[in-house]
Amino acid sequence: MNTTTTSNVLAHLRNVQKRYKLGDTEVHALRGLNLDVLKGDFTALVGASGSGKSTLLNIIGCIDEPDSGEIFFENINVQKLSETQKSTLRNRKIGFIFQSFNLVPVLNVFENIELPLLIQKEISKKERDERITNAINEVGLTKFLHHLPDKLSGGQRQRVAIARALVTQPSLILADEPTANLDSDTTHKIIDLMLDLNKKKGVTFLFSTHDEKLMNRVTRTLRIQDGIIIS
Ligand code: ADP
Ligand code: MG
């Protein structure tokens, strides 16, 4: 099998298998999945509930490990990395956005966005503040710096999550059903924001979604069924 990847390939997956044990039974979540995520992609992963979307995103994001197959991220063989190297890759190269926002409730907007940068010890306080200010500005939340998440609307919370994903300047943002908890109007605004980041700043996005509003605006759609991409 040809395992070389060209420079515009961010993530390269071949024959990826993942099983979960559930008591006595085994769930075959990914069944030999192949995928290339290209730089600049704005791609939706679409499929029924249970088809393997979250599993796939978690594996690309080094949150979970496959049982077999190959995964390269920017030409790095992820399976050869130690746990520490994988955490570093995850922290620096990948941003995550979740359906339920996953903000830390006791931290304000600024502090939530600051979190992933605190791990990067070589970044000075000055640079950190600059990056956070820029990210907050980018998502239009400058007036809400000191607000706690529970004082924000769903759309505003998702903006904080987007800023937190952006602040490390990652190569790829993985978004697991990012609009599932948002009303229609807010959904369109969040999609506008992500599309803008994609077009103007070249940020690569891979979504999982059921949402037609999002499916209608991506540049590429991948259909996943029973742990395999079918088109
Ligand atoms: P989707 O995101 O498309 O709804 P998932 O990737 O969450 O699908 O799940 C794929 C399959 O793997 C499902 O059958 C699900 O029940 C199973 N699964 C996912 N995560 C786990 C887990 N941690 N333990 C056991 N089974 C799991
Ligand atoms: Mg899911």
Side-chain angles (χ1 to χ4, degrees), residues 20-22 27-29 47-56 176-177:
Y20 291 108
K21 280 223 156 52
L22 262 181
V27 180
H28 206 163
S49 183
S51 57
K53 301 183 296 296
S54 297
T55 304
L56 175 57
D176 200 353
E177 308 204 27

Side-chain angles (χ1 to χ4, degrees), residues 182-200:
L182 304 177
D183 64 59
S184 166
D185 204 33
T186 309
T187 293
H188 282 295
K189 288 184 179 141
I190 291 292
I191 299 170
D192 287 342
L193 170 64
M194 296 191 291
L195 203 49
D196 204 50
L197 291 166
N198 174 257
K199 287 203 173 126
K200 296 200 177 128

Side-chain angles (χ1 to χ4, degrees), residues 122-136:
E122 74 283 4
I123 295 182
S124 66
K125 166 104 174 78
K126 180 167 172 288
E127 187 185 345
R128 216 161 62 216
D129 288 353
E130 249 172 49
R131 286 222 213 162
I132 299 164
T133 308
N134 287 341
I136 291 179

Side-chain angles (χ1 to χ4, degrees), residues 84-103:
T84 314
Q85 288 171 319
K86 256 190 264 183
S87 314
T88 305
L89 174 87
R90 186 167 59 225
N91 176 245
R92 298 186 184 221
K93 301 275 187 184
I94 299 164
F96 292 94
I97 301 171
F98 303 93
Q99 172 178 348
S100 49
F101 323 125
N102 291 16
L103 302 177

Side-chain angles (χ1 to χ4, degrees), residues 12-224:
H12 171 88
L13 288 81
R14 284 299 173 271
N15 201 17
V16 169
Q17 306 257 359
K18 178 71 185 181
R19 290 185 174 82
Y20 291 108
K21 280 223 156 52
L22 262 181
D24 288 343
T25 58
E26 217 180 38
V27 180
H28 206 163
L30 300 180
R31 303 168 182 253
L33 184 138
N34 299 319
L35 169 66
D36 284 310
V37 180
L38 306 183
K39 280 183 190 154
D41 266 355
F42 197 73
T43 297
L45 194 62
V46 175
S49 183
S51 57
K53 301 183 296 296
S54 297
T55 304
L56 175 57
L57 294 184
N58 291 342
I59 285 179
I60 296 174
C62 303
I63 290 178
D64 206 346
E65 286 183 5
D67 297 324
S68 61
E70 11 175 285
I71 303 185
F72 284 75
F73 195 91
E74 291 184 339
N75 289 322
I76 296 164
N77 185 342
V78 174
Q79 282 137 299
K80 296 223 164 107
L81 300 180
S82 67
E83 283 309 313
T84 314
Q85 288 171 319
K86 256 190 264 183
S87 314
T88 305
L89 174 87
R90 186 167 59 225
N91 176 245
R92 298 186 184 221
K93 301 275 187 184
I94 299 164
F96 292 94
I97 301 171
F98 303 93
Q99 172 178 348
S100 49
F101 323 125
N102 291 16
L103 302 177
V104 181
V106 296
L107 299 182
N108 68 27
V109 167
F110 185 96
E111 292 161 342
N112 264 285
I113 299 169
E114 184 178 37
L115 270 185
L117 290 182
L118 292 175
I119 303 166
Q120 300 189 21
K121 300 291 181 209
E122 74 283 4
I123 295 182
S124 66
K125 166 104 174 78
K126 180 167 172 288
E127 187 185 345
R128 216 161 62 216
D129 288 353
E130 249 172 49
R131 286 222 213 162
I132 299 164
T133 308
N134 287 341
I136 291 179
N137 198 14
E138 208 106 59
V139 300
L141 285 181
T142 305
K143 288 186 192 145
F144 299 89
L145 228 64
H146 303 296
H147 284 58
L148 290 174
D150 70 356
K151 296 287 181 293
L152 302 174
S153 69
Q156 289 170 328
R157 288 182 209 186
Q158 200 56 305
R159 284 172 192 272
V160 177
I162 293 170
R164 182 183 57 188
L166 275 178
V167 79
T168 56
Q169 300 167 348
S171 318
L172 173 64
I173 293 189
L174 299 170
D176 200 353
E177 308 204 27
T179 60
N181 284 343
L182 304 177
D183 64 59
S184 166
D185 204 33
T186 309
T187 293
H188 282 295
K189 288 184 179 141
I190 291 292
I191 299 170
D192 287 342
L193 170 64
M194 296 191 291
L195 203 49
D196 204 50
L197 291 166
N198 174 257
K199 287 203 173 126
K200 296 200 177 128
K201 305 196 86 189
V203 182
T204 306
F205 283 88
L206 178 62
F207 307 99
S208 82
T209 191
H210 290 292
D211 188 343
E212 296 216 351
K213 298 186 282 303
L214 181 52
M215 288 189 249
N216 287 337
R217 297 184 64 190
V218 295
T219 48
R220 184 180 170 211
T221 303
L222 300 168
R223 291 187 191 281
I224 182 168

